[in-house]
Amino acid sequence: MKRKIGLLLILSLVFCTSGVLAAGLPAYGADEGVIIYEVNSGDILFAQKQNEKFYPASTTKLMTALVAIENGDLNENFTVGDEIESIGEDSSTAGLEAEEVLSLNELLYALLLPSGNDAAETIAVNIGRKIAGDSSISSDKAYETFIAAMNKKAKEMGMNGTNFTNPHGLHNDNHYSTPADMLILAKTAFSDVTIKAITRGKVHEVQTNKTKHKWNNSNLLLYANFNELSEEYRVANNLSGTNSVFNGYATSGKTGYTEEANKCLVFEGEGNDKDMIGIIFNADETAIFSEASNTINAVVKEYELLEWLDPEDEDQVVQVVNYHVFDGNKLKYKTNEALITAVPQANRDSYTSKVKWDDTKVKGDATLANLEKDLKAGEQIGELQVYNGETMVEATPLYAVNDMKARNWTDYPILYWYVTIIVILMLLAILRIMFVQFMHNNNIKYKKIKIKKKTTPKTTPKQPQKPTQRTNKRR
């Protein structure tokens, strides 16, 4: 299960109301779909219309890239075909030409940096054939196969409010997503090494069999000065001089725009041990990068991470009152994953944590408790809860580290041995008295058994013989 229960950080009760936010986060437009997420804690810091359907425009291409990487070989070369002719003149492109040969890796740069719809079409057709296992199928059939793979991947990832009809995000009434779904996609995409490397780059150049390309990243948060962009890009987008929306903490992102979708941005920023992902849909073109930059600054500078219990620390113990004598009196417990809360620095003192036992197994507090049943190591015995004031923010399960049995009747003679000895002596005395009384009442006499000692006969010492007296006769 996910490491936290109650993932949202009191969205409407504590941190925010619609369009207004504490801790320095900007006031988002009332019609925007927004979700702001801190990666290390797993906390959603703000959400607005997060489950409503929006047109995602070119942020769609993050899914296109994921499906292509999953089903293709980055080093395999593909030839651009007539599929690019379906792209409208006002569409963002990477300037690909028919019969141009590029590796899948280069096509991903063309897809994600300049947001090339022509690259999206080429990827869809060629990877669609690989998914189908048939290089001879028509481009239309291959295209349909790829779109089906995109929707299958979305469902597998839990993006239940999303449906794709194309690989680039050009408007279709049946092509939609939600900020919450796009967050799921962004977390997966930005953790992929290939997508991470591409979306964090500012520029990429490649020479093909047809021409030389120089693609700039359309994520303007990455540029301190617009002079870093190619002249063609600056002129086309009317950019010059210092970039007021540059953010040194910004790392990656994906832009999107259609008239129906308005401006969309999926972005990432890192700093001061924080790693955040933001989704903004249906925003004003002149405001979206400012909103994103201010969001990154607020999370990085004005939030901090509070770690409540390290899963590697098995020294968290509670003393058990009714412990089994051979198990000792300490029950160790731990979490399987870290419980970390991203909180505004100004409010950190209002956050506390407490242990909540499963009272069918353990009753008591964090220092002294009674077992309601025998426990096995690894068994869930409660949860660690985090509170902001009186409101629970989030929680994570607690598990027993050691086996432990509740006390039973056999424990008491061992625990109270001195009492046991006294009781035994008293019982022996009582039995002695009862025995004597029984003998007396029944007039039973018993003789003492005399044991004769075996004696050795005395020997009379010999008397010394008197010498024989001889008489001398006179002759």
Side-chain angles (χ1 to χ4, degrees), residues 58 61 64-65 80 92-97 100 102-123 168 198-199 203-206 208 213-218 254:
S58 285
K61 293 177 174 118
T64 304
V80 178
S92 60
T93 71
L96 302 183
E97 301 177 17
E100 192 170 6
L102 300 96
S103 68
L104 176 58
N105 192 61
E106 300 296 351
L107 284 170
L108 290 170
Y109 273 97
L111 176 78
L112 297 173
L113 290 191
S115 199
N117 294 338
D118 46 0
E121 292 282 303
T122 301
I123 289 172
H168 38 63
I198 293 173
T199 56
V203 63
H204 185 75
E205 296 184 59
V206 60
T208 72
H213 296 284
K214 183 177 182 179
W215 297 311
N216 288 111
N217 196 325
S218 59
K254 184 67 196 78

Side-chain angles (χ1 to χ4, degrees), residues 25-95:
L25 290 169
Y28 304 98
D31 294 329
E32 294 176 3
V34 181
I35 194 161
I36 309 301
Y37 174 78
E38 203 289 314
V39 176
N40 297 311
S41 62
D43 291 340
I44 293 175
L45 307 183
F46 177 78
Q48 175 178 288
K49 300 180 183 294
Q50 69 270 27
N51 294 312
E52 294 187 18
K53 292 179 180 179
F54 290 87
Y55 300 127
S58 285
T59 60
T60 298
K61 293 177 174 118
L62 290 173
M63 179 61 84
T64 304
L66 271 182
V67 173
I69 291 168
E70 187 176 278
N71 294 281
D73 180 348
L74 292 174
N75 297 314
E76 184 176 358
N77 289 328
F78 296 105
T79 301
V80 178
D82 58 7
E83 65 273 355
I84 63 172
E85 295 176 4
S86 64
I87 299 299
E89 292 182 359
D90 59 345
S91 183
S92 60
T93 71

Side-chain angles (χ1 to χ4, degrees), residues 89-340:
E89 292 182 359
D90 59 345
S91 183
S92 60
T93 71
L96 302 183
E97 301 177 17
E99 302 303 319
E100 192 170 6
V101 178
L102 300 96
S103 68
L104 176 58
N105 192 61
E106 300 296 351
L107 284 170
L108 290 170
Y109 273 97
L111 176 78
L112 297 173
L113 290 191
S115 199
N117 294 338
D118 46 0
E121 292 282 303
T122 301
I123 289 172
V125 169
N126 285 280
I127 298 300
R129 287 176 176 142
K130 291 184 72 67
I131 294 172
D134 186 353
S135 61
S136 65
I137 62 174
S138 68
S139 356
D140 289 344
K141 184 64 176 176
Y143 191 86
E144 292 172 4
T145 301
F146 187 85
I147 302 307
M150 290 176 68
N151 285 310
K152 180 182 177 183
K153 181 71 174 175
K155 293 298 181 289
E156 289 173 352
M157 294 170 65
M159 298 172 63
N160 297 319
T162 296
N163 187 68
F164 298 116
T165 62
N166 60 62
H168 38 63
L170 288 176
H171 182 71
N172 182 300
D173 287 345
N174 203 35
H175 186 103
Y176 54 81
S177 188
T178 69
D181 279 5
M182 189 55 64
L183 174 62
I184 295 172
L185 175 56
K187 287 191 288 184
T188 304
F190 290 153
S191 64
D192 179 86
V193 292
T194 302
I195 296 175
K196 178 184 287 189
I198 293 173
T199 56
R200 293 189 175 205
K202 296 180 183 179
V203 63
H204 185 75
E205 296 184 59
V206 60
Q207 176 70 56
T208 72
N209 61 320
K210 286 279 189 177
T211 187
K212 183 176 182 178
H213 296 284
K214 183 177 182 179
W215 297 311
N216 288 111
N217 196 325
S218 59
N219 180 10
L220 298 184
L221 294 172
L222 303 179
Y223 300 95
N225 194 296
F226 289 128
N227 292 331
E228 298 179 59
L229 296 162
S230 66
E231 182 178 358
E232 181 183 359
Y233 191 92
R234 293 200 310 271
V235 171
N237 294 277
N238 194 28
L239 302 172
S240 63
T242 302
N243 179 13
S244 62
V245 297
F246 165 72
N247 193 298
Y249 299 113
T251 54
S252 62
K254 184 67 196 78
T255 60
Y257 174 77
T258 65
E259 289 185 6
E260 296 82 1
N262 290 323
K263 201 71 175 178
C264 301
L265 182 63
V266 178
F267 60 99
E268 185 180 26
E270 296 177 1
N272 296 335
D273 299 323
K274 271 83 72 179
D275 181 1
M276 61 80 56
I277 295 174
I279 315 293
I280 302 177
F281 281 166
N282 192 34
D284 182 79
E285 186 173 4
T286 60
I288 193 165
F289 285 112
S290 294
E291 289 179 357
S293 182
N294 291 337
T295 299
I296 293 172
N297 284 336
V299 175
V300 169
K301 296 178 180 180
E302 299 184 33
Y303 278 78
E304 67 175 294
L305 303 181
L306 302 181
E307 185 168 1
W308 301 104
L309 188 60
D310 186 341
E312 300 301 321
D313 183 6
E314 295 186 355
D315 292 328
Q316 300 298 320
V317 297
V318 58
Q319 185 170 334
V320 175
V321 175
N322 61 330
Y323 62 93
H324 181 52
V325 67
F326 296 116
D327 291 339
N329 67 346
K330 298 198 183 301
L331 172 63
K332 294 183 179 181
Y333 61 89
K334 67 172 185 175
T335 60
N336 282 349
E337 295 181 338
L339 179 60
I340 302 172

